[in-house]
Amino acid sequence: MTDRWVIHLPVTAPDLLRARIFARTAARVLARLSARVEPGGVTVSAEDQQGVRHWVFCDRPLPTGGRCALPVDHTSPCARRAPWLSRR
């Protein structure tokens, strides 16, 4: 038996883009509440094809340590934090 459990929380969205946006937002909010949230592992899927998952975050390892926190399809260099979040 494992000491780790994973929470699967179905939330619907009308399309893949909006599902990824919602998932990124939810992951970032939850990560602020608990260090146990792993945003890099967030995926979304079609309701009737839950075995086909689409990544939400890039999650590539960074040369300075840590993982890329940008969306999976970003075109800018990988970063630990989204530039638009750093301005707040």
Side-chain angles (χ1 to χ4, degrees), residues 23-41:
R24 278 195 301 271
T25 304
R28 287 182 178 134
V29 168
L30 291 172
R32 288 178 182 228
L33 300 175
S34 172
R36 294 185 176 265
V37 174
E38 299 176 19

Side-chain angles (χ1 to χ4, degrees), residues 46-69:
E47 185 174 18
D48 59 349
Q49 293 182 321
Q50 293 184 27
V52 179
R53 297 186 176 221
H54 302 271
W55 290 102
V56 172
F57 292 98
C58 171
D59 203 40
R60 287 188 193 113
L62 297 171
T64 57
R67 318 264 316 163
C68 179

Side-chain angles (χ1 to χ4, degrees), residues 16-17 19-25 27-28 39-40 42 54-60 67-85:
L16 178 58
L17 175 64
R20 282 180 166 159
I21 291 169
F22 186 86
R24 278 195 301 271
T25 304
R28 287 182 178 134
V42 175
H54 302 271
W55 290 102
V56 172
F57 292 98
C58 171
D59 203 40
R60 287 188 193 113
R67 318 264 316 163
C68 179
L70 299 180
V72 71
D73 52 359
H74 70 89
T75 56
S76 60
C78 287
R80 182 182 289 275
R81 188 174 172 103
W84 54 90
L85 294 176

